Amino acid sequence: DADVTQTPRNRITKTGKRIMLECSQTKGHDRMYWYRQDPGLGLRLIYYSFDVKDINKGEISDGYSVSRQAQAKFSLSLESAIPNQTALYFCATSELDRGYGYTFGSGTRLTVV
Amino acid sequence: ELKVEQNPLFLSMQEGKNYTIYCNYSTTSDRLYWYRQDPGKSLESLFVLLSNGAVKQEGRLMASLDTKARLSTLHITAAVHDLSATYFCAVDGGDDKIIFGKGTRLHILP
């Protein structure tokens, strides 16, 4: 099993719908992150969490919300999806000592029509 | 606000040639990461550079970090087709988050 698992892998949804992307990890890391990838723009940080009681906004949090249900689970929600939220979404985890960098999930490809 | 710039953003090169990808960043940091991404796939960690002057090598790839110049390089030696991918550098922006460059799409021609 993958260390960082994202579900679903692919999703097509309609404008205005609420959608949740889920991330779970088995690495025991405290820190979890949600990034969005668009062609030519690299990865941009949406939200990050240091533990279940610590949630922080990233560069592009507008239109998104998150929930840290447990140390191992971090969900990203789009309350009312819009077409420009069509992107590839990655969840990542890291240890307190980030000398090891981040571990990424396989990604969720989201299309909003 | 930390800015991370990579260049070039696209590189097409022939097998057997050498080339360097550059990563500049705008504020002080002593941690820098290089990742590889194949099309449609996730990001794979290549190198973690933790101090000024750090140099790491893996096969035909070598990464270095100059924190005073705020510059990291990823050098490719005698490129092979299997190295075709997108390469990202990412810099520790403080507050336990890292900021990514836009990526360098590398295409190696046989």
Side-chain angles (χ1 to χ4, degrees):
Chain A
D1 288 343
D3 293 326
V4 181
T5 301
Q6 291 184 235
T7 56
R9 291 295 306 274
N10 293 281
R11 180 74 179 266
I12 300 173
T13 192
K14 293 184 178 181
T15 297
K17 292 291 187 181
R18 183 180 188 275
I19 183 168
M20 179 182 289
L21 309 184
E22 299 189 358
C23 178
S24 63
Q25 52 120 344
T26 59
K27 295 187 74 70
H29 289 170
D30 292 323
R31 289 133 200 260
M32 298 187 74
Y33 307 79
W34 276 104
Y35 283 89
R36 165 179 173 160
Q37 184 177 24
D38 298 277
L41 295 180
L43 278 79
R44 292 180 292 169
L45 183 61
I46 306 172
Y47 271 97
Y48 58 110
S49 169
F50 294 165
D51 63 38
V52 294
K53 297 180 181 178
D54 189 355
I55 306 289
N56 304 278
K57 293 183 177 180
E59 304 168 70
I60 54 164
S61 59
D62 288 348
Y64 301 94
S65 63
V66 291
S67 173
R68 185 82 183 266
Q69 301 95 324
Q71 186 206 34
K73 295 183 182 293
F74 192 36
S75 301
L76 176 72
S77 293
L78 287 68
E79 296 300 328
S80 179
I82 56 177
N84 76 1
Q85 291 178 312
T86 293
L88 184 57
Y89 291 85
F90 286 104
C91 174
T93 72
S94 76
E95 296 180 274
L96 181 62
D97 177 359
R98 285 174 294 106
Y100 297 99
Y102 285 20
T103 301
F104 282 86
S106 298
T108 294
R109 184 167 296 280
L110 177 66
T111 303
V112 183
V113 298
Chain B
E1 182 186 348
L2 174 61
K3 302 284 187 187
V4 180
E5 292 190 358
Q6 287 182 237
N7 69 85
L9 297 181
F10 181 78
L11 176 58
S12 181
M13 56 191 292
Q14 289 190 315
E15 280 192 327
K17 299 293 186 181
N18 303 332
Y19 209 82
T20 301
I21 299 170
Y22 297 88
C23 176
N24 292 92
Y25 53 98
S26 60
T27 63
T28 301
S29 179
D30 59 1
R31 293 184 185 224
L32 188 138
Y33 309 85
W34 284 96
Y35 290 88
R36 168 180 172 149
Q37 185 182 36
D38 293 302
K41 304 292 186 181
S42 186
L43 282 80
E44 173 192 356
S45 180
L46 291 175
F47 300 109
V48 179
L49 303 170
L50 300 178
S51 61
N52 186 42
V55 177
K56 291 196 174 179
Q57 183 164 4
E58 179 73 30
R60 300 175 187 274
L61 300 177
M62 183 174 71
S64 65
L65 177 62
D66 181 343
T67 59
K68 293 180 181 178
R70 300 176 186 168
L71 171 68
S72 179
T73 61
L74 180 66
H75 187 72
I76 303 150
T77 301
V80 294
H81 181 69
D82 286 350
L83 291 178
S84 295
T86 299
Y87 293 85
F88 291 95
C89 69
V91 178
D92 183 333
D95 297 328
D96 274 338
K97 60 181 185 289
I98 62 174
I99 304 300
F100 283 80
K102 293 183 177 181
T104 296
R105 189 172 153 202
L106 178 62
H107 183 51
I108 299 172
L109 303 168

